[in-house]
Every structure is written in C-alpha cells, then in structure tokens.
Amino acid sequence: MSDERVFVGLDIGTTKIAAVVARLDEYNTLNIAGVGTSPSHGLRRGVVINIEKTVQSITKALEQAQLMSGCHIENIYAGIAGDHIRSINSKGVIAVSGKDKIITQNDINRVVDAAKAIALPMDREIIHILPQEFIVDDQDGIKNPIGMAGTRLECEVHIVTASSAAVHNIANCVKQAGYNVEEIVLEPYASSLAVLNIDELDLGVAIMDMGGGTTDIAVFLDGSIRFTSVLGLGGEHVTNDLSHGLRTPMDQAEEIKKKHGCALQGMVSEDELVVVKGIHGRAPREIARSVLSAIIEPRMEEIFTLALKELEKSDVYDSLAAGVVLTGGGSLLPGTAELAERVMGIPAKIGA
C-alpha cells in the first residue's frame, strides 16, 4: 500500500503523548491500523519545556504505533494546544475576475488571502484559516460559491494563531525524533472532526477537550467554526488537588482519581470507602469516597464556570441548541456531564 494512503496523527499532551496510524481504503474510509502512547514529561500546559524528554516520549509513542500497524511512518499530523492559542474572525472582499463573472477557485483563493491579511505580532503565526461562509452580491449563507455568477465576493473566516516558539518547538521535537510534520492541527478542531455529527455542527454546539494541562474549546454553528479558546486548567489540576488534600504523591492521587473519583458529590454514597496507600512505611488509611468528590467537584466546577465565560464571549452561546460535547481524559470521571449541565445551563454529553 502506498505511503500517501497512510495517515498518522500525534496528540502531544501535557500528561501523555498518543499516536494513531490509519489506512485509507478503496471506499475512502479510514481504518485504525495502530496506536501508541507514552507518558509525557516534557510539556506544561500543552507547551514544550524540555526538548529531550519530549523527543523521547514522541519516539516511544510513534514506535509503538509503527510496530502495531506494520507501516513505515515518515510524515505526521501533529496536534497543538496551550493557552497561547488565540483566534479571531475576519472578513475579506474582492471583485470577481473574468469576463463572465463566474466564481472560480482562483477567486476563492484571492478572497481568503484578503481575509487573512491581518496584523500579527512578530512572535505569532497563523496555523488555521477556516472559511465560515461566503457572500455573493449580498447573498449570504453560501458554503461553496464556485460556479455561481456575481460581481462581488466576500468571505468570513476564522483565523487561529499560535506562539511561533510553541509551533517551532513541536516541529523541532518531531524532527529530532526522526519524522516530518505534515501539518500542525489545533487539537479541539481535530476532536470536533472526530466526535461531532453534521446535525450538531448545524444546530450549534461547543466541544470541550479536557486534557491534562489545558481544556480546549471550539464552537460551531451552521456547519462552521465560530470561536476557539484554551483554558489553562485540566485534569492534572484535579490530581494536584487530590494529592494535597489526601497528602499522597501525584501518581497515587492520579490512580485514586481514575478508580474512585466522581465529579458530582451527590452521586456518591456516604458509606463508600476508599483505601489510600501509606508512603514511606506508613500504614494505609480509609477515607469516604465522598471526600474525594468534595475535593474534585470544586475544581471541575471552576473549569466549567471559566468555560461558560469563554462561550459567552463567542456571541453564539444562546444558539448552542446541541449543547456541549465533552472529550478528553478529564471528561471520563462519572458525573462530569451532569455537572457541566448544571454549571453551564446547556445540554452536555460525553463524546464518542
């Protein structure tokens, strides 16, 4: 099978790095051929802080995926997140070229170029230019104007920018691991393509990718992306709260969170007990599971409260008929969707 029919995705997260290899068959369907994961030790809040450790983690995850899939990996699509991500909506206007005034791909390229002509600081670069809609002679709501007649073409786009240093550090880590970066992809955008359906995209929906160090948000309406944002809070902050509250190391706190954690205290019975291992020869102790939830719920509530404030900035919060879809490891705690509904006031579900 040719290399160009093999696609590799790399999720470079704060707590783990995950790789996936997919083959495109003759029916244009992607089939997962291999996966690989590795603990992430070189990132903080989605940003590389240690090149060497990040390269080691990337290498391990991709080698696992390559071994499982039996494919030779050269080019990858790398995800990017972090609270350095910014976005803006922009608009471009051009006069349609050609004698017959029929809109062509060349006109599309020109109007998108006009829309992305914004002033950027020296330390930032554009990673996505995502068209929202086209307007032909004041007729709006057009998704693909090619072949239509008109004299004036407008385009509204969503532009996502990132720290140039963050982008180059990710690309450098991948290169040092022995691979090439085909494209840098915003992680909540990639998540939305994986878990949202057409009806949700049209009705209005928000996606929250709850990772270890950050929570990434993207908002869609009428089939197009309208808003993106990143919160500097994630599952690792919940683990840190448990570590302090239970006076136990981070790795044990993470294990307890995964096995016994619950985001909503009201869902936990008062008589359920959890064993906390002792450290340095100390005896293990029992605590009520409700104590765990009492520590977890305030932090999760804070994340959803901050997310709500971000959604209200998007100006389409009242149009989110499909509510919010939660993804990422931080969303796997029981009660997460119920707490999100209570705090944000819109329907919530776990993405699949």
Side-chain angles (χ1 to χ4, degrees), residues 60-122:
K60 185 176 180 181
L62 286 171
E63 284 179 348
Q64 287 181 12
Q66 186 168 250
L67 182 64
M68 182 183 293
S69 66
C71 299
H72 176 64
I73 297 174
E74 290 184 359
N75 302 316
I76 67 165
Y77 291 83
I80 190 170
D83 51 14
H84 60 93
I85 298 293
R86 301 287 184 272
S87 67
I88 186 173
N89 293 322
S90 183
K91 188 173 185 177
V93 183
I94 64 163
V96 178
S97 60
K99 293 180 180 180
D100 298 328
K101 299 299 181 183
I102 300 298
I103 297 171
T104 65
Q105 184 62 50
N106 180 57
D107 295 310
I108 300 293
N109 296 339
R110 288 171 53 225
V111 76
V112 170
D113 285 342
K116 73 177 185 182
I118 59 173
L120 279 180
M122 293 290 291

Side-chain angles (χ1 to χ4, degrees), residues 233-301:
L233 290 174
E236 200 173 51
H237 296 82
V238 177
T239 303
N240 188 62
D241 292 344
L242 284 173
S243 177
H244 283 83
L246 302 179
R247 298 187 301 280
T248 192
M250 283 286 287
D251 57 344
Q252 288 190 31
E254 179 70 14
E255 183 180 350
I256 291 170
K257 181 184 75 172
K258 289 180 177 179
K259 288 185 177 180
H260 306 289
C262 183
L264 206 56
Q265 193 173 357
M267 295 176 62
V268 178
S269 172
E270 291 291 336
D271 56 4
E272 290 184 74
L273 297 177
V274 175
V275 176
V276 179
K277 297 177 184 177
I279 56 174
H280 299 302
R282 296 182 178 88
R285 51 200 167 89
E286 288 187 337
I287 63 168
R289 189 181 174 208
S290 59
V291 173
L292 298 183
S293 294
I295 297 172
I296 293 171
E297 184 175 331
R299 179 67 78 178
M300 295 292 283
E301 186 172 346

Side-chain angles (χ1 to χ4, degrees), residues 108 131-134 140-146 202 221-224 226:
I108 300 293
Q132 297 171 328
E133 70 171 352
F134 294 91
D140 58 6
I142 300 170
K143 298 301 180 183
N144 184 6
I146 293 178
D202 286 338
L221 182 65
D222 296 329
S224 301
R226 303 289 172 174

Side-chain angles (χ1 to χ4, degrees), residues 190-212:
S191 298
S192 68
L193 296 176
V195 304
L196 300 181
N197 60 46
I198 294 175
D199 291 337
E200 289 172 328
L201 293 172
D202 286 338
L203 284 171
V205 66
I207 185 168
M208 286 181 59
D209 189 349
M210 305 179 71

